[in-house]
Amino acid sequence: MFIEDKIAKESMTINTPTPKIIFFDIDDTLSRNGIIAQHNKATLEELASTDIKLVISTGRSKAILPADILALLKADVLDAIICMNGQYSFDKKGRISHYPLSAEQTDTIVRLCQQSELIHKFDSATHIAWSGENERLREFNAITPNSIVDPEYHKGNTVYQCSVFFNNQQEKMQDVDFAQYELKLVHWHHIGADILPIEASKARGIKDVCQYYGVDASECMAFGDGMNDLEMFDLVGYAVAMGDAKQELIARADFVTGTIEERGIQSVLEQFHIAS
């Protein structure tokens, strides 16, 4: 069922089973500019009193998850977090699943980034490590304790994904055939993308979490807005695109709702009779 731009605009009733797990992207889905919208926080707190599991599904590194999101996990509002595009998932008890990059993969990624003359970073469970630094990164590192500059970090630490950052349209590595290395480039912003194993995705993390809780993915709902949500949308039973989501994602969604500011999440949950 695809309802383009109608969930937040029309009064309608959706007679479908209540999802057993709801997966939420962070940036531009729950949060804007790294801070969770207060009405979204209140909705999560309301849902925490139900039997529905609440799980974050983000491309962000574990090392730089927003403090307000981690506080919700600590407070038992959230049940688990999938981060680094499904490469690492955990709850308060510890790690649920993880998929480290191999030495061969990291060496290939470094070579490709160097050939394109791009600053890149590798993400571990504790740090993000940059290959170099510029003025913007110096400012970022000064206020981000887990962000370091160490071009050799991947050689002595377990890392899960690489991120690259672009200055213009010509620096998007579009000429690189990542598939021949069993890698892929996933854009999350017009200035940046993640380099991951070809089999990596939020969907893989969702499968792990569903198995952990004994739930089928078809019984789950997911909210998202970006290109790294595509596989997640294909997997779950109810895929909801935010109003300002990428058009490619909207085409794969079951429902399209409003933006954060338009209380898009609340509009859908109300129609499902899940939250007020």
Side-chain angles (χ1 to χ4, degrees), residues 232-246:
M232 175 172 77
F233 271 31
D234 288 343
L235 178 67
V236 300
Y238 316 107
V240 185
M242 302 301 289
D244 47 2
K246 299 293 185 183

Side-chain angles (χ1 to χ4, degrees), residues 23 82 86-89 96-99 201-215 235:
F23 296 94
I82 299 167
Q87 292 289 89
Y88 195 104
S89 61
I96 296 172
S97 66
H98 75 137
Y99 302 94
S201 71
K202 290 185 179 183
R204 180 162 66 170
I206 287 175
K207 288 178 182 178
D208 293 334
V209 169
C210 284
Q211 182 178 20
Y212 182 68
Y213 288 121
V215 173
L235 178 67

Side-chain angles (χ1 to χ4, degrees), residues 21-230:
I21 304 177
I22 304 178
F23 296 94
F24 298 92
D25 176 49
I26 296 177
D27 296 294
D28 300 323
T29 298
L30 282 176
S31 306
R32 193 73 85 187
N33 299 319
I35 300 173
I36 191 169
Q38 282 302 304
H39 57 275
N40 285 340
K41 178 175 181 289
T43 293
L44 293 179
E45 291 170 340
E46 178 185 351
L47 290 174
S49 64
T50 72
D51 293 331
I52 302 170
K53 299 291 186 183
L54 306 177
V55 179
I56 294 296
S57 182
T58 180
R60 278 182 177 250
S61 167
K62 183 176 185 289
I64 56 169
L65 288 169
D68 51 15
I69 295 296
L70 291 173
L72 291 174
L73 179 68
K74 184 177 181 180
D76 294 319
V77 173
L78 294 172
D79 292 281
I81 296 178
I82 299 167
C83 56
M84 295 184 271
N85 293 297
Q87 292 289 89
Y88 195 104
S89 61
F90 66 101
D91 63 4
K92 286 180 66 174
K93 297 177 183 178
R95 192 174 66 205
I96 296 172
S97 66
H98 75 137
Y99 302 94
L101 296 176
S102 68
E104 181 181 1
Q105 288 172 325
T106 57
D107 288 345
T108 298
I109 290 169
V110 168
R111 176 171 55 81
L112 294 174
C113 290
Q114 289 176 342
Q115 288 175 353
S116 296
E117 298 183 344
L118 292 173
I119 291 177
H120 61 277
K121 70 173 176 66
F122 280 105
D123 299 346
S124 74
T126 58
H127 291 83
I128 58 173
W130 302 87
S131 63
E133 197 172 39
N134 55 30
E135 184 175 350
R136 179 185 295 180
L137 286 179
R138 278 190 289 273
E139 294 176 359
F140 178 80
N141 290 338
I143 60 173
T144 309
N146 297 328
S147 182
I148 61 174
V149 178
D150 183 355
E152 304 293 313
Y153 184 83
H154 62 283
K155 294 183 177 180
N157 296 276
T158 301
V159 295
Y160 297 92
Q161 73 176 5
C162 174
S163 299
V164 287
F165 297 84
F166 312 108
N167 294 317
N168 57 59
Q169 288 293 117
Q170 285 69 47
E171 289 185 351
K172 294 203 170 187
M173 304 181 84
Q174 299 304 312
D175 58 333
V176 178
D177 180 11
F178 285 94
Q180 70 172 303
Y181 308 109
E182 297 188 347
L183 298 169
K184 62 181 177 181
L185 184 75
V186 180
H187 287 276
W188 45 264
H189 194 274
H190 69 278
I191 65 163
D194 296 319
I195 301 176
L196 297 157
I198 202 162
E199 69 273 14
S201 71
K202 290 185 179 183
R204 180 162 66 170
I206 287 175
K207 288 178 182 178
D208 293 334
V209 169
C210 284
Q211 182 178 20
Y212 182 68
Y213 288 121
V215 173
D216 192 275
S218 65
E219 302 174 293
C220 300
M221 174 182 284
F223 289 87
D225 71 286
M227 296 300 290
N228 61 349
D229 295 318
L230 287 170

